């Protein structure tokens, strides 16, 4: 069925849907349900007409995870009420379109913080669960799925099911991290974390190369609640992978003299102006002239050297939870500074014993190909019980690449070379960041037994393959082969 006919029959607009990195887009009929009944109505209609449906939250996945060329995109951002929040237990019950921002604004003044957050506050619960998001504390507390007590999932074949580690457990462990393939999250019960201050104690430490950063993460990991490394990908040789680590810990009860003040929403809000004068909204325009190899080499070097100069090892400073967690939200729309072609992020998860060798090798391969990432971010992870998990007992390295019409094909080829190294090392990729993975890579990365179990659930809850995205068709065509669409 043509997209115009779908839209006309359902009374929906047709629009272009973009990946967050602005490097991929596709045309779809867009539905914005506000209730379970409305989601069910669209699914029933789509099922009767064999039209594929993709779910979408805030569209913060970098690539094509919530796009559906020629089909329906079911955007859950208006299905977004917090149903209840228990101030004593920290249990939140909410609809799938509720964002991290909505959650912390409600919970912080009562002394609770979302235990796992992404680097931006705009993702929705549905998106966070579907990707099983990790934070800068992944090795300590697991992914968001570890904090989900239960959820309701509207499936194509079996209606709305309550899932928890005790009830429909197979679906619980597969739909979390199941990239929207098994049903629509319609209600989520999430445990938040008790806090005694709106601030964290933060230290900044310079690391002269990637080996030092990895060693720091390994030896210091028990001393901190959060660790994140910024990596300058430009230098080679002895300074390869130099960077800055930011380490943070929660304050214990009584350490903050005025918790009521630090836990106010005002104290958490990010500033509207940078350096007190420049409105944040225009900042990305100032970055744009620097978004080339020359400019980014200079910015990365300046950041590293100023970090060496101002490091605070042993002298913690206080920073609000939101300021520490959502650094990437300081400059709204910074992705636009990358220009017309946008950016891709390539995040690799490598087992601990191989990271020392594999991550420097990936940087070297980028240099050899003449495409150096403009931003590198390092994190520590731990494995978990979710079926399609990306987390390993090891490290992740995320690299941001500028995409242009001239480099696009070469860049995709480069990521395929990196995929080979990663797969050989027992590493994983992450659907939330992916735009380039080939089906054969996915087949090497996820064990056949895992893919078999996921496929069996797909056949049980969506046998006609109604739920599809551009990503699922690219990476796992066997889940939806010869079905809807
Ligand atoms: C600046 C930035 C920083 C980030 N930092 C991190 C980070 O630190 N750690 C991390 O893990 N991720 C990070 N991310 C990635 C982001 O957290 C994930 O992509 C997340 O899934 C986005 O949520 P969303 O609401 O935007 O969902 P979308 O991107 O719109 O969709 C994501 C997936 O969820 C599915 N989905 C959406 N709603 C539902 C629903 N109701 N039911 C079923 N499936 C649904 C979609 O089909 C899709 O597969 C970052 C992204 C950005 C842009």
């Amino acid at each position: 069925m043509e997209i115009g006919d779908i839209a006309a029959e359902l009374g929906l607009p047709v629009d272009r849907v973009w990946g967050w990195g602005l490097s991929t887009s596709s045309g779809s009929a867009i539905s914005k349900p506000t209730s379970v009944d409305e989601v069910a109505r669209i699914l029933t209609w789509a099922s009767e007409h064999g039209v594929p449906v993709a779910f979408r939250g805030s569209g913060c996945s970098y690539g094509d995870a919530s796009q559906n060329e020629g089909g329906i995109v079911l955007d859950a951002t208006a299905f977004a009420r917090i149903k209840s929040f228990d101030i004593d237990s920290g249990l939140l019950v909410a609809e799938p379109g509720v964002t991290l921002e909505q959650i912390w604004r409600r919970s912080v003044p009562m002394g609770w913080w979302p235990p796992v957050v992404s680097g931006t506050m705009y993702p929705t619960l549905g998106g966070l669960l579907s990707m099983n998001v990790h934070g800068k504390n992944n090795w300590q507390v697991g992914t968001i799925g570890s904090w989900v007590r239960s959820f309701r999932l509207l499936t194509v074949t079996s209606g709305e099911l309550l899932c928890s580690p005790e009830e429909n457990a197979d679906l619980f462990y597969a739909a979390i991290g199941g990239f929207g393939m098994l049903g629509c999250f319609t209600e989520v019960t999430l445990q938040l974390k008790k806090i005694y201050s709106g601030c964290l104690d933060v230290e900044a430490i310079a690391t002269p190369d990637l080996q030092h950063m990895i060693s720091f993460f390994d030896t210091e990991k028990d001393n901190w609640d959060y660790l994140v490394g910024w990596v300058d990908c430009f230098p080679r040789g002895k300074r390869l992978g130099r960077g800055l680590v930011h380490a943070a810990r929660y304050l214990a009860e009584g350490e903050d003299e005025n918790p009521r003040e630090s836990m106010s929403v005002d104290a958490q809000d990010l500033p509207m102006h940078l350096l007190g004068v420049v409105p944040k909204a225009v900042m990305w325009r100032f970055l744009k002239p620097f978004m080339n190899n020359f400019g980014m080499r200079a910015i990365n070097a300046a950041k590293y050297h100023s970090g060496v100069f101002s490091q605070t090892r042993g002298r913690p400073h206080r920073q609000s939870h939101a300021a520490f967690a959502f650094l990437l939200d300081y400059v709204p729309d910074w992705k636009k500074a990358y220009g017309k072609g946008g950016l891709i992020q390539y995040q690799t998860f490598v087992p601990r014993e191989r990271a020392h060798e594999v991550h420097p090798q990936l940087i070297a391969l980028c240099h050899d190909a003449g495409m150096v990432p403009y931003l590198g971010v390092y994190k520590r992870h731990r494995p978990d019980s979710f079926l399609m998990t990306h987390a390993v007992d090891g490290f992740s390295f995320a690299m941001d690449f500028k995409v242009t019409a001239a480099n696009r094909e070469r860049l995709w080829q480069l990521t395929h070379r990196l995929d080979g190294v990663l797969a050989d090392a027992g590493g994983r990729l992450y659907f939330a960041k992916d735009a380039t993975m080939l089906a054969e890579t996915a087949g090497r990365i996820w064990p056949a037994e895992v893919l078999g179990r996921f496929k069996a659930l797909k056949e049980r809850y969506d046998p006609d393959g109604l739920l599809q995205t551009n990503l699922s068709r690219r990476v796992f065509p066997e889940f939806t082969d010869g079905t809807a669409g």
Side-chain angles (χ1 to χ4, degrees):
M1 201 168 181
E2 292 297 315
I3 184 172
D5 299 329
I6 301 169
E9 285 232 13
L10 287 166
L12 299 175
V14 172
D15 210 346
R16 275 214 94 60
V17 176
W18 290 84
W20 189 86
L22 302 178
S23 62
T24 56
S25 72
S26 46
S28 299
I30 316 290
S31 155
K32 288 201 173 187
T34 55
S35 67
V36 188
D37 289 347
E38 287 178 38
V39 178
R41 186 178 69 83
I42 298 285
L43 288 185
T44 306
W45 184 91
S47 182
E48 284 164 7
H49 294 79
V51 173
V53 177
F55 304 119
R56 185 172 171 92
S58 300
C60 289
S61 294
Y62 277 66
D64 52 1
S66 55
Q67 293 172 32
N68 185 14
E69 179 73 59
I72 298 171
V73 165
L74 214 149
D75 171 336
T77 49
F79 186 6
R81 279 165 304 175
I82 294 181
K83 290 186 164 175
S84 65
F85 179 61
D86 186 320
I87 182 174
D88 296 319
S89 66
L91 266 192
L92 174 103
V93 181
E95 292 175 345
V98 165
T99 61
L100 279 174
E101 180 182 19
Q102 272 175 276
I103 296 175
W104 72 253
R105 283 183 185 280
R106 173 81 171 263
S107 68
V108 165
M110 300 174 194
W112 298 90
W113 178 253
V116 173
V117 298
S118 48
T120 170
M121 64 175 94
Y122 304 118
T124 62
L125 278 172
L128 294 165
L129 264 63
S130 282
M131 291 300 172
N132 197 15
V133 162
H134 62 263
K136 302 172 179 77
N137 52 358
N138 185 223
W139 87 99
Q140 288 282 30
V141 304
T143 48
I144 190 132
S146 323
W147 296 81
V148 173
R149 295 296 164 253
S150 65
F151 57 78
R152 289 184 181 281
L153 191 76
L154 183 64
T155 61
V156 176
T157 54
S158 311
E160 206 182 20
L161 297 173
L162 180 66
C163 303
S164 71
E166 293 78 36
E167 200 163 343
N168 293 309
D170 52 353
L171 206 45
F172 180 85
Y173 287 104
I176 293 180
F179 53 107
M181 289 295 102
L182 297 174
C184 182
F185 293 107
T186 51
E187 184 185 284
V188 179
T189 301
L190 184 71
Q191 174 68 60
L192 304 198
K193 179 179 167 45
K194 182 84 193 140
I195 50 170
Y196 298 99
S197 167
C199 291
L200 296 163
D201 267 348
V202 182
E203 291 182 21
I205 301 104
T207 43
D209 58 30
L210 197 59
Q211 305 300 347
H212 278 84
M213 185 177 284
I214 293 173
S215 303
F216 182 91
F217 272 69
D218 250 352
T219 51
E220 290 279 328
K221 69 182 184 355
D222 297 334
N223 301 330
W224 300 97
D225 294 306
Y226 296 96
L227 283 172
V228 61
W230 164 81
V231 177
D232 175 1
C233 299
F234 280 91
R236 298 190 79 168
K238 281 201 300 207
R239 291 168 299 143
L240 186 137
R242 69 182 177 185
L244 304 169
V245 176
H246 284 94
R249 67 169 186 84
Y250 292 108
L251 270 60
E253 196 168 5
E255 272 191 279
D256 183 348
E257 282 162 14
N258 197 346
R260 186 185 286 268
E261 156 97 36
S262 69
M263 294 196 294
S264 69
V265 167
D266 285 352
Q268 297 294 321
D269 258 333
L270 301 180
M272 291 303 290
H273 295 82
L274 289 180
L275 307 172
V277 283
V278 187
K280 281 196 322 183
V282 302
M283 259 313 280
W284 68 267
R285 293 181 192 279
F286 289 93
L287 285 175
K288 204 169 174 183
F290 296 96
M291 281 292 180
N292 50 60
N293 288 346
F294 185 73
M296 288 315 291
R297 179 186 287 275
I299 286 189
N300 273 268
K303 182 172 162 74
Y304 176 71
H305 290 298
S306 72
V308 171
F309 183 69
S310 59
Q311 55 183 320
T312 55
R313 185 97 202 247
R315 289 175 289 118
H317 63 279
R318 297 237 160 126
Q319 196 174 19
S320 74
H321 287 274
F324 181 80
F326 306 126
L327 185 70
L328 291 168
D329 292 339
Y330 267 78
V331 180
D333 284 335
W334 57 266
K335 60 188 174 181
K336 290 189 187 160
Y338 275 84
K340 259 200 195 143
L343 77 151
I344 57 168
Q345 185 174 104
Y346 182 79
Q347 187 171 13
T348 59
F349 294 75
V350 174
R352 193 173 61 82
E353 57 284 4
R354 299 296 305 276
H356 284 273
E357 148 219 351
V358 170
H359 279 145
Q361 193 185 348
L362 298 185
I363 300 179
L365 283 169
C366 296
H367 277 270
D368 293 347
M371 284 172 283
V372 178
Y374 287 178
L375 172 68
V377 174
Y378 219 68
K379 290 185 197 146
R380 184 74 168 86
H381 299 271
R382 78 175 192 205
D384 54 58
S385 317
F386 297 94
L387 192 58
M388 297 296 288
T389 187
H390 56 273
V392 296
D393 179 10
F395 297 90
S396 75
F397 182 34
M399 297 177 269
D400 287 10
F401 294 93
K402 177 173 174 156
V403 183
T404 64
N407 81 357
R408 192 178 173 104
E409 204 177 318
R410 280 185 304 123
L411 181 54
W412 261 241
Q413 284 165 1
L414 168 64
T415 64
H416 299 152
R417 276 202 296 287
L418 304 183
D419 288 350
V421 176
L422 187 75
D424 288 345
R428 294 215 163 171
L429 289 165
Y430 182 24
F431 303 131
K433 308 293 178 71
D434 180 58
T436 64
M437 193 191 328
L438 301 170
E440 67 187 65
T441 307
R444 287 190 65 200
I445 286 184
W446 279 274
E449 181 265 338
V450 165
L451 294 181
R453 279 165 60 199
F454 194 81
K455 195 166 182 206
L457 287 166
K458 182 81 176 157
E459 276 161 10
R460 184 162 6 135
Y461 293 107
D462 180 23
D464 296 331
L466 194 69
L467 308 181
Q468 304 183 12
T469 59
N470 289 7
L471 180 140
S472 77
R473 288 189 287 267
R474 171 167 59 83
V475 176
F476 295 117
E478 71 273 24
F479 291 169
T480 44
D481 260 354
T483 52

